[in-house]
Amino acid sequence: MEMADEKTRGRLSATDWARAALTAMGDGGLAAVAVEPIAARLGTTKGSFYWHFANRDALVAAALDLWEREHTEAVVRRVESEPDARARLRRLFTDVTLGVARTPENRIEVALLATASHPLVAATVSRVTERRIAYVAALYEELGATPDRARQRALLAFSTWLGYTQLVHATPEALPHGADAEAYVEFVLDQTVTP
């Protein structure tokens, strides 16, 4: 038995556990982050969990950190490869809006917002929300909007995306699909990018 645990520890990383915890959050909210079911999903034992984490809260913190890195900071890095603010906004809107429909992982956004008042989630959701809005506002400022107007547009854009994300999971039939979804993104861009 100990040999299996040694082998498992070499195979699974803390990131593997954090990713599995994120999947559990997306499937059933914060309450779904439980060590034994995640261990079963990963095909390992609780011993592997305790090799990486002191307790469930540490796993939740690692999962939230992973979410922040992959769903915010990595997105910003990808978008920053575009040549100007207008192209960055276009890519951001397209990637995150149309990506929601294609990526079941984005259920995590809805699940985290549903538990945003929980002490383990609140600080991360607040920090991520502010980072996202500030990034989009900076793009609008780069396009010539005043700081106040840029913040308003960023908040509108972010709210639109959150609403779209919620609809993808609650009532996907209400949303446009295919070329119509792309036309919708263009419409949103037209409404929010024009100075």
Side-chain angles (χ1 to χ4, degrees):
M1 182 72 137
E2 209 165 300
M3 293 277 264
D5 283 348
E6 289 297 322
K7 188 175 179 186
T8 300
R9 283 194 290 248
R11 212 172 52 227
L12 290 175
S13 67
T15 301
D16 294 326
W17 277 93
R19 193 170 309 288
L22 275 180
T23 299
M25 280 183 211
D27 291 344
L30 188 59
V33 179
V35 176
E36 288 187 28
I38 292 174
R41 181 181 283 181
L42 290 170
T44 190
T45 65
K46 289 192 312 184
S48 172
F49 167 80
Y50 288 110
W51 178 258
H52 297 291
F53 301 102
N55 54 40
R56 177 187 178 270
D57 287 356
L59 174 60
V60 170
L64 292 170
D65 182 63
L66 181 64
W67 171 70
E68 184 172 1
R69 286 192 324 262
E70 291 186 349
H71 293 252
T72 300
E73 297 309 323
V75 171
V76 168
R77 279 193 303 278
R78 279 194 310 274
V79 167
E80 281 297 308
S81 67
E82 296 298 329
D84 59 48
R86 189 172 303 277
R88 287 192 287 277
L89 275 170
R90 180 169 304 288
R91 178 158 185 199
L92 181 62
F93 276 69
T94 301
D95 286 1
V96 301
T97 303
L98 298 180
V100 165
R102 290 185 231 120
T103 310
E105 284 182 349
N106 284 314
R107 293 185 311 256
I108 296 161
E109 301 285 339
V110 174
L112 289 176
L113 288 173
T115 57
S117 63
H118 190 283
L120 291 173
V121 179
T124 302
V125 167
S126 179
R127 184 176 55 252
V128 165
T129 299
E130 182 52 38
R131 168 72 166 119
R132 291 171 174 181
I133 292 170
Y135 177 72
V136 174
L139 294 177
Y140 284 126
E141 281 189 59
E142 203 175 314
L143 290 172
T146 65
D148 286 346
R149 189 71 168 158
R151 177 83 182 181
Q152 289 173 339
R153 287 180 183 208
L155 188 55
L156 174 62
F158 187 67
S159 299
T160 300
W161 174 75
L162 283 178
Y164 190 90
T165 300
Q166 179 68 38
L167 290 173
V168 163
H169 301 292
T171 56
E173 66 280 358
L175 296 172
H177 299 282
D180 291 339
E182 292 174 21
Y184 170 75
V185 170
E186 291 301 320
F187 169 76
V188 171
L189 283 166
D190 287 345
Q191 302 307 305
T192 59
V193 173
T194 308

